[in-house]
C-alpha cells in the first residue's frame, strides 16, 4: 500500500519514499534495493548511501549492480565505526540515494545525531531518498510497542518525518511466514534464533505489531484522501469504507440505537461507527451527566466512539458531522411526535432524509416511537411567594388603577385607559407568571367595560365596535402575558443553565487533576455553599469526608446515590430540586474516581500475581535444571570415590575432589544469588556505605572465580576510593565478571577499569563476547532472564539482577553498553568518597 504525494506540493525538495515494516526481517531493505535496481535500469542515477545486509545473501546480491558511496569511518572510544558519508553524497549529488535504517543513531562525531536528520539534509539539497523503518521505531508508538513486547526502543524517529513522506509503502509478511524465515536462518545468525523466537519474535508480538502497522498506514491513507477531497472541494461521500453516525438524544431509545449501530457496523467488515449527541447552543443542559457518561461508556464498550457537537438545529448538525466524517450511513430513531404535528412541523428524521443526499439513512423503531410525551425541557416553576403576589396584583390591581383613572377623567380616553390596563397585565406576567396574568386580563376587561365603556356603570356595551375592542383587548392581553411569561422563564432558565455549565466546566477540569475523593468533596462544598461533605457506604460507613463531620446518612441535609449502597452526602442547607442534577454530576464523577481506584488496585494486584507466578515458574525451571546439575556432579564424584571396586590413582581422586569442590562452589553461588534476590525484593538489603578501596575489593572479588587468570584490572588513582559497602560491591563485581567470563571466548581477556568522572566512580567490566542487541539490554537485569544460550549451562539468570539491585542499594546505577569492536561492557556508577573528592 502506498500513499500518493499530495497534489500541489512544491518539488524543490527531494522526494522521500519510505518502506515501512511491522518488524525486522519482513524484507524492507530488499524492497528498497529492488526499487533502486528498477530505477537504475531505467537510467536514473541511483547510489547506495548506507545499506545494512545483516549477512543475508539475497539482500547482498541486490547491491551488486549499484554504485556504493564509501562510508565514513569515525573513531570513537578507540574503535572505528562506519556511518553514512553525508558530505560525500552531497558532492556526488545523485538523483536518488538509498539509505537504510531511518531511526539509526549516529556515532558521536558525525554531522548529525540521527540518520533521519541526514535524510532531511539530503532532501533539502534536492536529492530523492528511499529509506526503511520499522513500526516500533515511530516515536508516538514507543509506549504501545513496549507494552506489547516488553522492550523499549531506544532509537526512534519523529512521526512527522515519516508522515511527510511523499510515498509510504508497507512491506508486509504474516507472522507464520516471518517465523519460518527466522527458523531457516534468513534473519538472524543461528546462535540468536532460539532467543529471538522466544522473545521479540513470538507470534502474538508479531501479530500485534502487524496490526499497528496496518492501522497506522490506514490512517495515513485516510489523511491523503481527505486532503485530496479538500483540495478538489468534494463534499459528496466516498464510500471507501463504511462509516456510521448514530444520533442519540439521551432518551430511553438511545441504547436501542447504539446496539443497532454496533450490529450494522459489525456486518460491514470492520466499519467504524460514531455516536453523536447534539447539545443546544443556548447553554441549556438537556441530558443528565450521569446518563451522558453511561451512553459514552456503552458506546466505547461496543467498539464505537462518542462525540458531542453544539447546534441549534439537530438535523443540520447531524448532517454536517456525517459529511465531515465522510459517513456512508446515518441511524436515527423514529419520531416520538404524533403524525399531525409532524405534518405541520417536520421532525429531525424527515429533515435528515430530505437533505442526506448520497448518505443512507436508517430510521429505527423503538418502544417510545409516536408516543406523546411531556415536554422534556420543562420550564422552571416560579417561587410560591411570587405566584401569590401575582394573583394579588391580578385581582386588586385593576380596581386600584380604575380608581386612579376615575379621579382624572379629563386627561385620558378609552384607548389610553386600555393601554394602562395592558401595561398592568404585562407587569403581572413578569411578577407571577402566566396564570395570574390571565386572571388580570379578565378582571381588567371587566373594569374597562364597567367603568370606562359607555354606558358606564353597567356591563352593557352600547357600541359593537367597543364590544369588539374589549374582546380584542382580553385576547391581546392574554397573548402578551403569555409571551412575557415565556421570555422571563427562558431568561431564568438560561441563567440557571449557564451557572450549571460553568459548574460542570469547573468540575470536569477538577476531575482531570483530582485523583482522590477529598478534592472532589472540597469542590462540591465550595460550589453548593455546604459546610461538609462525605462519601458514605453501607451501614453508615464514612469512607471519605471533608469539612464539617457527618456521622451518619441521617445527619446529611442532602444526599445522592453514587453506586450500590454508596452515597454522596452534604451538610449545610437543603438543596433546591433544580440543583440536584448538578449534584448528580458530582456523584457520577465520584463513581469514576472509585472505578479508577479499583482498576488501579486490581491492576497492581494482577501485576503482582503475574510477577509472582513468573518468578515461581522461572525458579522451578532453574531448580529443576541448574541446581540439579551440580548436585548430580557432586553425587557422581562422591559415589565414584566410595566405590571400592575401583582402585583410583592419586590424580583421579584429586580430579574427582576438584569436581566436588567446583560443583559445591556453583551451588553456593546459585543459592547466594537466590537469597540476595529474595532480600532485595523484600527490601531487606541495607547498605553500610563507607570509604572503600576499589582495587582491593575488585581483586578480592575475582580471586576465587574460575578463569581469574584471564582478568586484567586497571584502577585510575582518581577513583581509588569510593563511597560504597565493601561486601555488596564485592558481590556486584563478582557477578559481573562471572557473566563476562561465561560469554567471552576462552582466548580473550576480561578487563576491569575504574575511572573518575564528575565526582563519580565508573567501574567498567569489559568483554569481547557476542554482545546483546540494544533493544534487549534492559531485560538483562530482570530476574531469571538469560538472553541466548549460556555456554556452560550455568546460572539461573539472577546474577545481573542481583548486581543491579545491590548497586542501587549503595546509591549507584548499573547499565550496559556496547564494547567498541564487539562485546558488552557493564558500567557501575558509584559516588566517590568525600575524602577523595576533597583531595582533588
Amino acid at each position: 500500500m502506498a500513499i500518493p504525494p499530495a497534489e500541489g506540493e512544491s518539488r524543490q525538495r527531494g522526494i522521500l519514499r519510505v518502506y515501512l515494516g511491522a518488524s525486522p526481517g519482513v524484507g524492507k531493505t530488499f524492497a528498497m534495493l529492488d526499487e533502486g535496481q528498477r530505477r537504475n535500469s531505467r537510467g536514473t542515477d541511483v547510489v547506495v548511501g548506507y545499506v545494512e545486509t545483516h549477512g543475508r545473501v539475497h539482500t547482498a546480491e541486490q547491491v551488486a549492480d549499484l554504485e556504493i558511496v564509501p562510508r565514513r569511518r569515525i573513531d570513537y572510544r578507540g574503535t572505528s565505526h562506519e556511518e553514512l558519508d553525508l558530505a560525500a553524497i552531497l558532492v556526488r549529488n545523485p538523483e536518488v540515494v538509498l539509505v537504510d535504517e531511518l531511526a539509526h543513531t549516529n556515532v558521536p562525531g558525525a554531522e548529525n545525531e540521527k540518520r533521519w536528520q541526514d535524510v532531511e539534509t539530503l532532501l533539502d539539497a534536492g536529492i530523492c531518498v528511499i529509506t526503511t523503518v520499522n513500526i516500533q521505531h515511530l516515536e508516538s508508538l514507543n509506549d504501545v510497542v513496549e507494552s506489547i513486547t516488553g522492550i523499549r526502543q531506544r532509537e526512534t524517529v519523529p512521526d512527522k518525518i515519516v508522515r511527510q513522506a511523499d510515498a509510504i509503502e508497507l512491506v508486509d509478511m504474516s507472522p507464520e511466514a516471518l517465523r519460518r524465515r527466522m527458523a531457516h536462518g534468513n534473519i538472524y545468525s543461528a546462535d540468536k534464533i532460539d532467543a529471538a523466537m522466544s522473545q521479540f519474535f513470538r507470534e502474538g508480538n508479531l501479530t500485534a505489531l502487524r496490526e499497528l502497522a496496518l492501522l497506522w498506514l490506514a490512517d495515513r491513507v485516510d489523511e491523503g484522501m481527505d486532503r485530496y477531497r479538500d483540495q478538489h472541494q468534494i463534499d459528496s461521500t466516498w464510500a471507501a469504507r463504511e462509516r456510521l453516525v448514530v444520533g442519540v438524544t439521551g432518551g430511553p431509545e438511545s441504547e436501542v440505537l447504539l446496539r443497532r449501530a454496533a450490529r450494522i457496523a459489525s456486518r460491514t467488515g470492520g466499519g467504524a461507527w460514531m455516536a453523536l449527541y447534539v447539545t443546544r447552543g443556548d447553554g441549556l443542559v438537556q441530558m443528565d451527566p450521569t446518563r451522558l457518561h453511561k451512553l459514552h461508556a456503552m458506546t466505547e464498550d461496543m467498539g464505537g466512539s462518542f462525540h458531542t457537537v453544539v447546534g441549534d438545529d439537530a438535523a443540520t448538525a447531524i448532517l454536517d458531522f456525517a459529511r465531515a466524517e465522510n459517513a456512508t450511513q446515518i441511524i436515527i430513531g423514529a419520531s416520538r411526535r404524533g403524525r399531525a404535528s409532524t405534518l405541520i412541523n417536520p421532525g429531525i428524521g424527515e429533515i435528515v432524509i430530505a437533505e442526506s443526499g448520497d448518505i443512507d439513512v436508517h430510521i429505527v423503531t423503538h418502544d417510545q416511537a409516536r408516543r406523546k410525551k411531556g415536554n422534556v425541557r420543562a420550564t422552571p416553576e416560579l417561587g410560591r411567594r411570587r405566584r401569590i403576589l401575582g394573583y394579588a396584583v391580578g385581582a386588586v390591581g385593576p380596581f386600584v388603577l380604575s380608581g386612579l383613572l376615575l379621579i382624572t377623567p379629563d386627561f385620558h380616553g378609552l384607548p389610553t385607559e386600555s393601554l394602562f390596563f395592558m401595561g398592568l397585565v404585562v407587569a403581572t406576567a413578569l411578577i407571577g407568571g402566566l396564570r395570574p396574568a390571565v386572571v388580570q386580563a379578565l378582571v381588567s376587561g371587566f373594569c374597562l367595560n364597567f367603568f370606562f365603556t359607555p354606558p358606564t356603570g353597567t356591563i352593557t356595551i352600547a357600541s359593537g365596535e367597543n364590544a369588539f375592542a374589549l374582546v380584542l383587548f382580553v385576547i391581546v392581553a392574554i397573548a402578551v402575558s403569555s409571551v412575557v411569561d415565556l421570555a422571563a422563564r427562558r431568561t431564568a432558565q438560561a441563567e440557571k443553565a449557564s451557572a450549571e455549565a460553568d459548574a460542570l466546566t469547573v468540575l470536569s477540569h477538577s476531575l482531570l487533576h483530582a485523583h482522590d475523593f477529598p478534592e472532589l468533596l472540597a469542590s462540591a462544598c465550595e460550589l453548593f455553599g455546604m459546610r461538609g461533605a462525605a462519601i458514605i457506604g453501607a451501614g453508615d460507613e464514612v469512607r471519605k469526608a471533608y469539612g464539617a463531620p457527618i456521622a451518619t446518612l441521617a445527619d446529611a441535609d442532602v444526599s445522592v446515590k453514587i453506586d450500590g449502597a454508596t452515597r454522596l452526602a452534604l451538610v449545610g442547607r437543603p438543596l433546591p430540586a433544580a440543583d440536584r442534577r448538578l449534584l448528580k454530576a458530582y456523584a457520577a464523577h465520584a463513581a469514576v474516581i472509585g472505578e479508577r481506584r479499583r482498576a488501579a488496585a486490581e491492576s497492581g494486584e494482577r501485576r503482582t500475581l503475574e510477577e509472582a507466578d513468573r518468578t515461581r515458574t522461572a525458579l522451578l525451571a532453574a531448580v529443576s535444571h541448574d541446581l540439579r546439575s551440580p548436585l548430580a556432579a557432586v553425587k557422581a564424584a562422591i559415589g565414584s570415590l566410595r566405590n571400592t571396586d575401583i582402585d583410583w590413582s592419586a590424580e583421579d581422586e584429586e580430579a574427582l575432589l576438584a569436581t566436588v569442590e567446583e560443583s559445591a562452589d556453583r551451588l553456593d553461588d546459585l543459592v547466594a544469588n537466590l537469597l540476595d534476590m529474595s532480600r532485595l525484593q523484600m527490601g531487606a538489603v541495607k547498605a553500610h556505605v563507607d570509604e572503600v578501596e576499589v582495587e582491593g575489593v575488585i581483586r578480592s572479588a575475582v580471586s576465587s572465580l574460575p578463569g581469574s587468570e584471564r582478568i586484567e584490572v586497571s584502577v585510575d588513582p582518581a577513583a581509588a576510593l569510593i563511597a560504597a559497602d565493601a561486601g555488596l560491591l564485592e558481590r556486584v563485581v563478582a557477578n559481573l565478571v562471572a557473566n563476562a567470563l561465561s560469554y567471552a571466548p576462552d582466548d580473550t581477556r576480561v578487563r576491569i577499569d575504574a575511572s573518575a568522572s564528575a565526582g563519580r566512580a565508573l567501574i567498567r567490566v569489559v568483554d569481547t563476547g557476542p554482545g546483546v542487541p540494544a533493544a534487549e539490554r534492559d531485560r538483562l537485569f530482570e530476574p531469571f532472564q538469560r538472553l541466548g544460550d549460556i555456554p556452560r549451562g550455568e546460572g539461573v539468570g539472577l546474577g545481573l539482577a542481583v548486581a543491579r539491585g545491590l548497586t542501587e542499594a549503595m546509591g549507584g546505577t548499573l547499565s550496559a553498553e556496547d564494547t567498541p569492536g564487539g562485546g558488552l561492557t557493564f558500567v557501575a556508577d558509584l559516588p566517590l568518597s568525600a575524602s577523595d573528592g576533597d583531595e582533588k
Side-chain angles (χ1 to χ4, degrees):
M1 291 183 287
I3 301 175
E7 293 190 3
E9 286 188 358
S10 172
R11 289 305 183 193
Q12 295 177 355
R13 279 167 51 95
I15 297 174
L16 176 62
R17 184 181 187 88
V18 176
Y19 284 93
L20 175 69
S23 69
V26 295
K28 304 180 302 301
T29 303
F30 188 92
M32 177 185 70
L33 291 169
D34 186 63
E35 176 68 13
Q37 291 282 9
R38 186 180 66 82
R39 297 194 184 196
N40 187 50
S41 65
R42 293 187 320 193
T44 304
D45 183 13
V46 180
V47 301
V48 174
Y50 189 99
V51 168
E52 189 60 66
T53 64
H54 297 288
R56 299 164 191 164
V57 177
H58 298 300
T59 305
E61 291 174 351
Q62 287 288 92
V63 186
D65 298 333
L66 298 174
E67 178 186 345
I68 302 175
V69 177
R71 301 179 184 181
R72 177 185 175 186
R73 292 189 174 275
I74 302 175
D75 291 329
Y76 179 66
R77 292 185 176 179
T79 304
S80 180
H81 299 266
E82 292 185 342
E83 292 291 354
L84 174 77
D85 195 335
L86 182 60
I89 296 174
L90 292 173
V91 172
R92 172 65 175 74
N93 194 26
E95 292 181 65
V96 179
V97 60
L98 310 182
V99 180
D100 207 2
E101 298 179 355
L102 182 63
H104 170 75
T105 301
N106 294 330
V107 172
E111 287 88 344
N112 296 303
E113 180 184 356
K114 295 285 189 177
R115 185 164 292 164
W116 62 263
Q117 295 171 324
D118 295 337
V119 168
E120 284 288 289
T121 303
L122 293 172
L123 294 172
D124 290 338
I127 301 173
C128 299
V129 178
I130 304 177
T131 187
T132 66
V133 70
N134 283 328
I135 193 69
Q136 68 262 30
H137 293 298
L138 294 181
E139 194 167 301
S140 67
L141 300 177
N142 199 255
D143 292 339
V144 179
V145 172
E146 182 182 12
S147 67
I148 293 171
T149 64
I151 299 171
R152 187 166 190 85
Q153 302 297 327
R154 300 300 177 186
E155 295 184 326
T156 61
V157 58
D159 286 46
K160 68 176 183 179
I161 301 300
V162 183
R163 289 165 64 104
Q164 293 170 359
D166 299 273
I168 305 175
E169 183 164 341
L170 179 66
V171 182
D172 189 32
M173 181 177 290
S174 69
E176 296 82 4
L178 188 57
R179 284 172 61 84
R180 283 197 299 272
R181 288 199 67 204
M182 173 67 73
H184 293 159
N186 295 330
I187 301 178
Y188 290 163
S189 57
D191 60 326
K192 298 180 180 179
I193 292 176
D194 290 341
M197 294 278 278
S198 63
Q199 294 164 19
F200 186 87
F201 281 81
R202 294 197 302 269
E203 186 172 347
N205 286 356
L206 298 177
T207 301
L209 291 173
R210 187 187 190 197
E211 182 179 9
L212 271 181
L214 290 169
L215 290 174
W216 190 89
L217 189 60
D219 288 340
R220 304 293 78 74
V221 173
D222 278 347
E223 289 176 3
M225 184 173 69
D226 291 342
R227 184 170 59 241
Y228 181 87
R229 284 161 50 86
D230 290 341
Q231 290 172 348
H232 292 78
Q233 298 181 348
I234 299 173
D235 295 328
S236 60
T237 300
W238 282 13
R241 62 170 173 166
E242 294 292 338
R243 288 185 177 87
L244 287 74
V245 172
V246 51
V248 295
T249 63
E253 76 282 358
S254 298
E255 288 87 347
V256 176
L257 298 180
L258 293 178
R259 294 189 187 98
R260 181 63 59 86
R263 289 199 298 271
I264 294 176
S266 66
R267 293 197 295 266
T268 59
W273 67 280
M274 296 152 280
L276 177 65
Y277 172 66
V278 181
T279 183
R280 291 174 58 86
D282 55 10
L284 302 182
V285 179
Q286 300 180 55
M287 190 191 302
D288 184 83
T290 305
R291 176 73 172 161
L292 187 66
H293 171 71
K294 180 181 178 182
L295 293 179
H296 196 153
M298 182 179 178
T299 301
E300 293 185 346
D301 288 344
M302 292 190 294
S305 57
F306 196 92
H307 304 266
T308 302
V309 299
V310 177
D312 293 326
D313 187 346
T316 301
I318 291 172
L319 289 169
D320 290 344
F321 180 84
R323 293 191 179 101
E325 295 294 332
N326 196 27
T328 58
Q329 301 180 50
I330 295 176
I331 301 174
I332 53 178
S335 176
R336 288 183 282 181
R337 302 165 59 204
R339 291 184 176 84
S341 60
T342 302
L343 292 174
I344 297 173
N345 182 21
I348 295 175
E350 288 77 7
I351 298 175
V352 170
I353 292 173
E355 300 181 7
S356 62
D358 51 2
I359 303 177
D360 297 334
V361 180
H362 300 268
I363 302 295
V364 178
T365 60
H366 50 86
D367 292 341
Q368 309 300 318
R370 300 298 183 192
R371 290 186 181 180
K372 293 184 179 180
K373 296 288 182 182
N375 187 2
V376 294
R377 301 189 193 114
T379 55
E381 292 292 334
L382 295 174
R384 184 169 177 270
R385 294 179 60 184
R386 287 188 58 179
R387 292 199 305 272
I388 293 174
L389 181 60
Y391 280 118
V393 173
V396 179
F399 296 103
V400 174
L401 180 60
S402 297
L404 294 174
L405 293 175
L406 288 173
I407 295 174
T408 57
D410 299 332
F411 296 99
H412 47 75
L414 183 60
T416 304
E417 294 158 354
S418 299
L419 290 177
F420 274 116
F421 280 102
M422 182 66 71
L424 186 60
V425 171
V426 172
T428 304
L430 290 173
I431 295 172
L434 177 60
R435 291 180 183 179
V438 172
V439 174
Q440 164 72 272
L442 295 175
V443 176
S444 295
F446 171 78
C447 290
L448 273 174
N449 178 18
F450 190 83
F451 294 111
F452 303 104
T453 304
T456 60
T458 68
I459 59 173
T460 303
I461 302 175
S463 170
E465 182 179 354
N466 288 341
F468 176 75
L470 187 61
V471 172
L472 185 61
F473 166 81
V474 174
I475 294 174
V476 172
I478 293 175
V480 170
S481 64
S482 175
V483 173
V484 171
D485 172 73
L486 181 61
R489 290 175 181 270
R490 289 302 188 198
T491 300
Q493 187 180 24
E495 292 174 353
K496 180 68 174 178
S498 178
E500 287 188 7
D502 291 340
L504 287 173
T505 300
V506 173
L507 177 61
S508 300
H509 182 269
S510 65
L511 180 65
L512 293 175
H513 301 86
H515 300 287
D516 213 338
F517 292 114
E519 297 176 28
L520 188 71
L521 297 178
S523 175
C525 288
E526 181 180 358
L527 179 66
F528 295 111
M530 295 295 188
R531 291 185 290 107
I535 305 293
I536 301 179
D540 285 335
E541 175 195 2
V542 179
R543 298 178 180 175
K544 295 290 180 181
Y546 175 83
I550 303 177
T552 66
L553 197 60
D555 297 335
D557 291 309
V558 62
S559 68
V560 64
K561 181 179 178 181
I562 296 177
D563 54 39
T566 307
R567 300 185 71 85
L568 170 62
L570 296 95
V571 62
R573 64 183 179 89
L575 272 186
D579 288 341
R580 292 185 65 87
R581 177 170 55 186
L582 189 56
L583 183 59
K584 287 181 179 179
Y586 273 85
H589 286 308
V592 171
I593 292 177
E595 292 173 4
R596 183 189 301 166
R597 295 180 63 189
R598 286 192 293 273
E602 291 173 359
S603 177
E605 292 175 0
R606 185 169 58 253
R607 284 195 299 269
T608 301
L609 290 174
E610 289 175 353
E611 181 65 23
D613 183 64
R614 188 172 68 86
T615 301
R616 283 195 298 270
T617 302
L619 181 58
L620 288 173
V623 170
S624 65
H625 179 270
D626 296 285
L627 296 181
R628 183 180 295 175
S629 298
L631 284 174
V634 169
K635 185 176 180 180
I638 293 176
S640 299
L641 288 172
R642 296 184 62 184
N643 190 343
T644 57
D645 296 335
I646 303 176
D647 185 15
W648 300 104
S649 65
E651 292 80 4
D652 292 336
E653 289 182 356
E654 182 63 29
L656 291 172
L657 290 173
T659 300
V660 172
E661 184 178 13
E662 181 182 353
S663 299
D665 288 340
R666 286 175 56 191
L667 278 173
D668 183 63
D669 289 341
L670 294 174
V671 172
N673 279 332
L674 286 170
L675 292 175
D676 284 342
M677 180 52 61
S678 175
R679 291 167 59 214
L680 286 169
Q681 290 181 338
M682 294 176 63
V685 174
K686 301 297 182 184
H688 302 286
V689 177
D690 200 353
E691 186 175 86
V692 173
E693 198 272 319
V694 173
E695 186 169 1
V697 172
I698 292 176
R699 296 197 180 279
S700 175
V702 303
S703 61
S704 60
L705 292 177
S708 58
E709 68 280 356
R710 297 165 48 202
I711 300 172
E712 295 179 354
V713 179
S714 174
V715 178
D716 186 339
L721 298 176
I722 66 173
D725 183 308
L728 298 185
L729 180 59
E730 182 175 333
R731 189 83 178 132
V732 169
V733 174
N735 283 0
L736 295 179
V737 175
N739 181 83
L741 290 171
S742 297
Y743 280 96
D746 292 337
D747 58 348
T748 62
R749 304 184 72 81
V750 172
R751 191 173 73 254
I752 305 175
D753 294 334
S755 59
S757 175
R760 307 285 293 184
L762 303 179
I763 302 175
R764 290 184 171 86
V765 179
V766 185
D767 70 59
T768 54
V772 174
E776 298 182 356
R777 284 180 196 152
D778 278 350
R779 295 186 59 213
L780 282 171
F781 301 101
E782 295 179 7
F784 306 109
Q785 294 295 325
R786 298 193 297 179
L787 304 182
D789 295 331
I790 292 182
R792 298 171 182 81
E794 65 235 14
V796 294
L798 283 177
L800 297 180
V802 168
R804 171 172 276 188
L806 297 179
T807 304
E808 291 175 350
M810 293 185 289
T813 60
L814 180 61
S815 59
E817 60 185 33
D818 285 328
T819 299
L824 193 66
T825 298
F826 291 102
V827 182
D829 185 331
L830 292 162
L832 290 169
S833 72
S835 61
D836 193 36
D838 293 340
E839 291 174 7
K840 293 187 290 182

